[in-house]
């Protein structure tokens, strides 16, 4: 006779929670997952998927312009925001259904509602109590707005994907990947965009050359970028809430139809009942876990954005698989956070892998830098001034490649293949010995021979 209703009770059906639940069930565990919102979490509903779909839509603006150089005569282009949003919503609804089918096929019970932890083995959903041998918290995170007068007049990425109409003018505050992605989408769809960043560079967690290069490319496309600047306040005149007056720290005042904050995210821990069980959290609410994703309370685990380590969907997936295997396959797997490839779907794209130049110099005595900046073959006819940047960082003492970074079309697709090589400890000599696919942008990584530093 079972002592518990379930072997694993997962709170949150985002990417990590679904993956952990499915694998645990496949290992023979009795699993339930509770979710108050649509299945798939942020990635499917208000993150990776809708963002990439809308990025595709925004790229057509430049594609149409590029076509003329190749002999195509283009008529007048018209863009319909409502059509894009409707088709995007249709695809997301399809994915919600697929996530449900995945769980159902794995014989995972789906419980709709907000879950609250009572103790180390008990969870309440919709007034009903469930007992579980293990509890896994995978509730993700949410965007936050800065505290400033009128911030309620602005939106975050959550609301962006459901705007009733494309704004004519937009102010985006932030310098991270979400800010530059959404600014690029708005710009590509025809919106007049001002990106406001309180620091002196964008993409600060990445190699410094990437942010500097991307700024120049985005400015070419018409995005105004105000560095070392922040929003002081947002006001409206009377009942006219459509026009927002944005006061900036550089003394300017901008009129905008939309103010979008991309200034950070926080873990979803509100009303989760962590205090009931005594689960420890950091000052920002992130749940503290050890190398096995165990909290300080026996039998309670946490993964994904709620632990605030690396907020990426593939990372949450990997963490979920590790927890499932360790709990129900007697494993002792550990998660490596080294050499995680990351893409930013700005226009142009950015991709990064391994150490930045600054980090490499902190960890290694002798470092070589290989760098190339060039115009892609496509743009020799398109007339576009867009350029590519590729950078490789090498440990001069061992010849091992430490980092690879890129700004340019399909950067994420290119970096993914090199991530496999770096996972295997590739050296610069091995990269040099690799025959390139010609003519491609990607071949530049295997033809850079002379170090710039």
């Amino acid at each position: 006779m079972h002592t518990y209703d379930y072997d694993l009770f997962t709170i949150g059906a985002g990417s990590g929670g679904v993956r952990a639940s499915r694998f645990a069930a496949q290992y023979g565990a009795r699993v339930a997952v509770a979710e108050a919102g649509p299945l798939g979490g942020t990635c499917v509903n208000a993150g990776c998927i809708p963002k990439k779909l809308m990025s595709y839509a925004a790229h057509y603006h430049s594609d149409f312009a590029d076509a003329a150089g190749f002999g195509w005569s283009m008529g007048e282009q018209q863009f319909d925001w409502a059509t894009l949003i409707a088709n995007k919503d249709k695809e997301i609804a399809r994915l919600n259904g697929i996530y449900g089918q995945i769980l159902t096929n794995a014989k995972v019970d789906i419980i709709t509602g907000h879950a609250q932890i009572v103790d180390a083995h008990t969870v309440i959903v919709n007034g009903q109590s469930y007992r579980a041998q293990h509890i896994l918290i995978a509730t993700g995170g949410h965007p936050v707005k800065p505290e400033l007068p009128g911030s309620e007049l602005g939106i975050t990425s959550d609301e962006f994907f459901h705007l009733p109409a494309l704004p004519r003018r937009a102010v985006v505050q932030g310098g991270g990947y979400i800010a530059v992605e959404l600014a690029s989408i708005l710009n590509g769809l025809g919106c007049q965009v001002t990106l406001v960043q309180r620091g002196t560079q964008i993409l600060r967690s990445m190699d410094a050359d990437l942010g500097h290069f991307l700024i120049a490319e985005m400015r070419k496309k018409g995005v105004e970028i105000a560095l070392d600047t922040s929003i002081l306040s947002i006001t409206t005149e009377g009942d006219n809430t459509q026009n927002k007056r944005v006061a900036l720290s550089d003394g300017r005042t901008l009129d905008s139809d939309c103010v979008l904050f991309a200034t950070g995210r926080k873990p979803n821990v509100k009303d989760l009942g962590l205090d009931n069980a005594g689960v420890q959290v950091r000052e920002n609410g992130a749940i503290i876990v050890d190398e096995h994703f165990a909290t300080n309370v026996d039998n309670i685990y946490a993964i994904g954005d709620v632990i605030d380590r690396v907020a990426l969907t593939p990372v949450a997936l990997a963490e979920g698989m590790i927890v499932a295997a360790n709990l129900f396959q007697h494993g002792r797997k550990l998660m490596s956070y080294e050499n995680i490839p990351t893409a930013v779907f700005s226009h142009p794209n950015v991709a990064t892998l391994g150490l930045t130049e600054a980090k490499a110099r902190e960890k290694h005595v002798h470092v070589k830098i290989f760098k190339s900046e060039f115009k892609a073959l496509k743009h020799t006819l398109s007339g576009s001034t867009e350029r590519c940047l590729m950078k490789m960082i090498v440990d001069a003492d061992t010849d091992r490649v430490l980092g690879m970074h890129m700004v340019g079309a399909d950067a994420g697709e290119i970096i993914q293949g090199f991530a496999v090589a770096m996972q295997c400890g590739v050296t610069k000599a091995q990269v040099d010995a690799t025959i390139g696919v010609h003519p491609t942008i990607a071949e530049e990584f295997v033809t850079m021979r002379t170090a710039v530093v």
Side-chain angles (χ1 to χ4, degrees), residues 163-393:
L163 284 172
L166 175 68
R168 187 168 56 88
R169 304 158 302 176
V171 176
V172 179
Q173 177 164 312
Y177 73 95
I178 295 175
V180 298
E181 287 175 337
L182 300 189
S184 292
I185 289 171
L186 287 166
N187 170 254
L189 294 178
C191 179
Q192 178 185 326
V193 181
T194 300
L195 179 67
V196 177
Q197 161 65 340
R198 66 180 181 180
T200 56
Q201 68 181 87
I202 61 175
L203 302 180
R204 290 180 298 169
S205 64
M206 301 181 185
D207 191 273
D209 282 344
L210 299 180
H212 296 316
F213 195 87
L214 181 61
I215 285 174
E217 292 301 311
M218 289 180 68
R219 282 175 170 162
K220 286 180 188 177
K221 297 180 186 297
V223 178
E224 180 185 353
I225 300 177
L227 299 175
D228 201 19
T229 305
S230 58
I231 295 176
L232 298 180
S233 65
I234 309 170
T235 57
T236 58
E237 294 181 355
D239 296 330
N240 182 17
T241 58
Q242 295 292 81
N243 183 68
K244 297 161 183 67
R245 187 145 290 176
V246 184
L248 302 181
S249 61
D250 63 8
R252 290 186 296 159
T253 299
L254 303 179
D255 286 334
S256 179
D257 307 302
C258 174
V259 180
L260 194 158
F261 294 113
T263 50
R265 298 176 65 85
K266 285 189 176 180
N268 286 329
V269 294
K270 184 179 179 181
D271 299 326
L272 194 54
L274 299 181
D275 290 341
N276 298 336
V279 175
Q280 293 180 350
V281 298
R282 296 191 183 90
E283 188 175 345
N284 69 347
I287 297 174
I288 300 172
V289 296
D290 64 13
E291 59 186 357
H292 300 290
F293 305 103
T295 69
N296 63 299
V297 178
D298 290 344
N299 305 305
I300 298 182
Y301 299 80
I303 60 170
D305 291 6
V306 78
I307 66 174
D308 196 27
R309 284 187 177 174
V310 179
L312 295 171
T313 293
V315 171
L317 295 174
E319 292 170 347
M321 288 189 288
I322 287 174
V323 169
N326 288 351
L327 288 179
F328 303 109
Q329 285 284 289
H330 309 292
R332 296 301 287 172
K333 294 182 178 180
L334 298 177
M335 178 75 187
S336 172
Y337 294 95
E338 293 185 357
N339 296 329
I340 295 174
T342 304
V344 181
F345 297 105
S346 52
H347 298 186
N349 292 176
V350 174
T352 182
L353 169 65
L355 297 180
T356 65
E357 180 177 344
K359 288 293 183 182
R361 295 193 183 282
E362 286 178 9
K363 295 185 176 185
H364 300 271
V365 178
H366 302 112
V367 174
K368 288 184 178 179
I369 305 298
F370 298 82
K371 192 188 304 185
S372 178
E373 180 188 328
F374 58 96
K375 178 185 284 192
L377 177 63
K378 173 184 176 181
H379 296 312
T380 60
L381 293 189
S382 73
S384 170
T385 59
E386 182 175 296
R387 296 181 68 80
C388 295
L389 171 70
M390 302 178 99
K391 182 175 182 178
M392 186 184 303
I393 300 164

Side-chain angles (χ1 to χ4, degrees), residues 11-211:
I11 303 176
S15 301
V18 169
R19 180 63 63 91
S21 299
R22 178 164 69 91
F23 271 70
Q26 290 175 347
Y27 294 144
R30 296 168 301 132
V31 183
V33 59
E35 174 59 65
L39 300 180
T42 295
C43 178
V44 169
N45 297 285
C48 320
I49 301 302
K51 170 192 70 183
K52 190 70 180 292
L53 291 174
M54 294 177 77
S55 179
Y56 283 137
H59 268 293
Y60 280 102
H61 183 269
S62 56
D63 289 343
F64 292 144
D66 292 343
F70 293 90
W72 288 94
S73 297
M74 305 299 294
E76 182 182 356
Q77 294 102 42
Q78 291 185 333
F79 169 71
D80 185 68
W81 174 267
T83 297
L84 171 61
I85 298 303
N87 289 340
K88 179 265 295 180
D89 289 345
K90 182 178 179 181
E91 172 59 14
I92 289 175
R94 186 185 71 86
L95 294 176
N96 294 149
I98 288 176
Y99 269 74
Q101 198 61 51
I102 287 172
L103 292 171
T104 300
N105 290 344
K107 294 182 171 54
V108 175
D109 290 343
I110 304 172
I111 302 171
T112 302
H114 178 80
Q116 189 172 62
I117 297 170
V118 177
D119 57 41
H121 294 287
T122 310
V123 177
I124 290 180
V125 186
N126 301 326
Q128 183 171 343
S129 178
Y130 300 91
R131 295 275 292 166
Q133 183 178 6
H134 304 287
I135 296 172
L136 174 63
I137 303 169
T139 49
H142 64 277
V144 294
K145 296 179 182 179
E147 294 184 3
L148 56 87
S151 62
E152 71 279 0
L153 297 170
I155 65 171
T156 67
S157 55
D158 281 357
E159 297 82 39
F160 170 80
F161 298 108
H162 301 283
L163 284 172
L166 175 68
R168 187 168 56 88
R169 304 158 302 176
V171 176
V172 179
Q173 177 164 312
Y177 73 95
I178 295 175
V180 298
E181 287 175 337
L182 300 189
S184 292
I185 289 171
L186 287 166
N187 170 254
L189 294 178
C191 179
Q192 178 185 326
V193 181
T194 300
L195 179 67
V196 177
Q197 161 65 340
R198 66 180 181 180
T200 56
Q201 68 181 87
I202 61 175
L203 302 180
R204 290 180 298 169
S205 64
M206 301 181 185
D207 191 273
D209 282 344
L210 299 180

